[in-house]
Amino acid sequence: MHSAVFLIEFGAIILGLGLLGRVAGRLKFSPIPLYLLAGLAFGTGGLLPLGASEEFVAIGAEIGVILLLLMLGLEYTASDLVSNLKTQYPAGLVDFTLNALPGAAAALLLGWGPVAAVVLAGVTWISSSGVIAKVMGDLGRLGNRETPVILSILVLEDLAMAVYLPIITALLAGVSLAAGSLTLAIALGVAGAVLFVAVRYGRLISRFVSSDDPEKLLLVVLGLTLLVAGIAQQLQVSAAVGAFLVGIALSGEVAEGTHTLLSPLRDLFAAVFFVFFGLHTDPASIPPVLLPALALALVTAGTKIATGYWAAKRAGIGVKGRWRAGGTLVARGEFSIVIAGLAVTAGIEPQLGPLATAYVLILVIVGPLTARYTQPIAAWVGERRSAGRRPAGPEPEAVEPLPEPVSRERG
């Protein structure tokens, strides 16, 4: 009987996620807020709380995080990461300063303590790579001049996660300073070793994993990822970091084949993860933190726009491209929920989960809008200001301008 109830509940979850994904696709926005709302509806204090399938959903959610980070690692080669670190680290520092500090300050102002401040700093710092990539594709901007700047910032954020997640894991576990330093040293050592091996022996690793049979390739890569993630977690390093490093180590045709094979699995388990996070958030706990979430979303949307504008200006991009870069970076999503999920599991602050849920819901909806409309709004405001500065009186006599050289630069 228990097995039948489990199949009914889990089947209903998967079917519901598929229907919600269709709705989001027709409305042309990210399905993440719909998945979170579904979790709120079927979780604690929701319309129809789940029972039999909750443990399986928890395991699926953990696999979802691992696959998210693995697929992200597959997007980059070790040489790309090293190059980005050398050339774009100032943009990464500006990104951290402008976007992590508001979250930390908000947690301290709410009286949540230093550990919650470090967690909320991560929630407000990291943009959603998945949402942003989809938005750029939908808007046809993948070939724009500002796109490499956006991707560089996202890469630096992903690399920072390899250091940030072990720190969070140690803080949430309440370990001593010495143990926390050891955990961080192990994480940095493992990350450095994997990058070194990937640069030197990436082709050999890819050749070892490679297979013409999709079934064998899928089993080897998935098994290797789960194994490394488990070992990383056993060493008090985040399992997600282990998966990210496996993705970096794979390259070439293996990375492309793995990406194709694992994309459906990633989407399935990632959706389960967002539902699981919603399951552990009581809908009644969101209204009390809605105003702080709105204020934090407003502030950090502005700081992300400023980050993208500054980074694009530094790269020599025109004014239009600077505004587009800033507006595109606003969306928060999967990583903010991953970070908040660690804190919710550790039980450090009851209101942190609801605030993070409301914050992500706001910015995952607003993000695609800012990507589309930030540059036109900035242009309109600039025109209004220019019109306001014009002196009153008769218009000066028109003078035929000299022809200007044609520029091929895309704003």
Side-chain angles (χ1 to χ4, degrees), residues 27-310:
L27 296 176
K28 295 185 177 180
F29 72 92
S30 170
I32 292 175
L34 298 183
Y35 296 156
L36 288 172
L37 291 173
L40 291 172
F42 294 102
T44 305
L47 300 174
L48 186 62
L50 298 177
S53 62
E54 187 168 351
E55 184 176 351
F56 187 82
V57 170
I59 296 172
E62 191 165 355
I63 294 174
V65 175
I66 289 171
L67 291 180
L68 277 171
L69 272 294
L70 168 66
M71 299 295 281
L72 191 65
L74 290 173
E75 297 290 338
Y76 314 114
T77 66
S79 58
D80 289 338
L81 295 178
V82 172
S83 174
N84 274 301
L85 279 175
K86 289 180 178 179
T87 60
Q88 298 294 339
Y89 71 90
L93 293 175
V94 170
D95 181 33
F96 170 77
T97 303
L98 292 182
N99 297 288
L101 292 184
L108 294 176
L109 289 173
L110 291 168
W112 290 354
V115 176
V118 176
V119 172
L120 196 56
V123 171
T124 59
W125 172 21
I126 306 295
S127 297
S128 171
S129 301
V131 174
I132 290 171
K134 188 175 188 308
V135 167
M136 288 194 299
D138 291 343
L139 295 177
R141 294 182 181 173
L142 294 177
N144 281 22
R145 292 192 62 215
E146 73 272 7
T147 297
V149 175
I150 296 170
L151 295 179
S152 295
I153 292 174
L154 295 177
V155 170
L156 289 169
E157 288 181 351
D158 300 334
L159 279 176
M161 290 282 284
V163 177
Y164 176 80
L165 286 177
I167 294 174
I168 285 294
T169 304
L171 288 174
L172 294 176
V175 300
S176 64
L177 179 61
S181 301
L182 178 62
T183 298
L184 179 57
I186 292 173
L188 291 175
V190 171
V194 170
L195 286 175
F196 175 79
V197 171
V199 171
R200 282 290 184 89
Y201 308 107
R203 291 184 179 179
L204 292 177
I205 296 172
S206 297
R207 193 179 303 167
F208 169 76
V209 174
S210 178
S211 174
D212 293 332
D213 188 338
E215 178 184 352
K216 294 184 178 65
L217 178 62
L218 175 63
L219 291 174
V220 170
V221 173
L222 187 57
L224 177 64
T225 302
L226 294 175
L227 177 65
V228 172
I231 293 173
Q233 192 158 335
Q234 194 69 26
L235 294 172
Q236 298 299 314
V237 180
S238 170
V241 172
F244 179 65
L245 295 174
V246 170
I248 292 173
L250 301 178
S251 60
E253 294 181 2
V254 173
E256 294 177 7
T258 302
H259 194 282
T260 302
L261 290 171
L262 284 178
S263 289
L265 278 179
R266 185 271 314 271
D267 295 339
L268 168 63
F269 286 106
V272 171
F273 166 72
F274 292 120
V275 170
F276 176 74
F277 186 82
L279 289 175
H280 286 261
T281 303
D282 187 349
S285 63
I286 290 182
V289 297
L290 192 55
L291 283 179
L294 279 169
L296 196 56
L298 181 63
V299 170
T300 53
T303 54
K304 273 292 182 183
I305 291 173
T307 298
Y309 187 97
W310 182 88

